Amino acid sequence: MKVNVKKGYAAARAAAYPSYAEQFDILFHQGYDAWKAIIQAVKDANPKDDPTD
């Protein structure tokens, strides 16, 4: 039986991302590079599984 693992990482990422309001605040006050670093940290903490598995 194949399990859809994409749901697992996607749900974990969605829960870990700051809200849209927080993201816009980061963009306005700290800039694009700070926002990008925060988003990348969430992605690094919740990586996609290898699709070839």
Side-chain angles (χ1 to χ4, degrees):
M1 178 168 86
K2 190 169 184 171
V3 177
N4 186 359
V5 280
K6 288 185 179 183
K7 262 190 169 179
Y9 87 85
R13 279 188 184 180
Y17 285 131
S19 69
Y20 288 130
E22 290 172 313
Q23 290 185 43
F24 289 135
D25 194 53
I26 292 165
L27 281 167
F28 183 79
H29 292 287
Q30 299 175 30
Y32 176 72
D33 289 332
W35 171 82
K36 190 175 171 183
I38 291 169
I39 298 303
Q40 189 62 52
V42 171
K43 290 183 176 194
D44 291 343
N46 301 287
K48 287 185 180 180
D49 291 325
D50 187 358
T52 59
D53 287 343

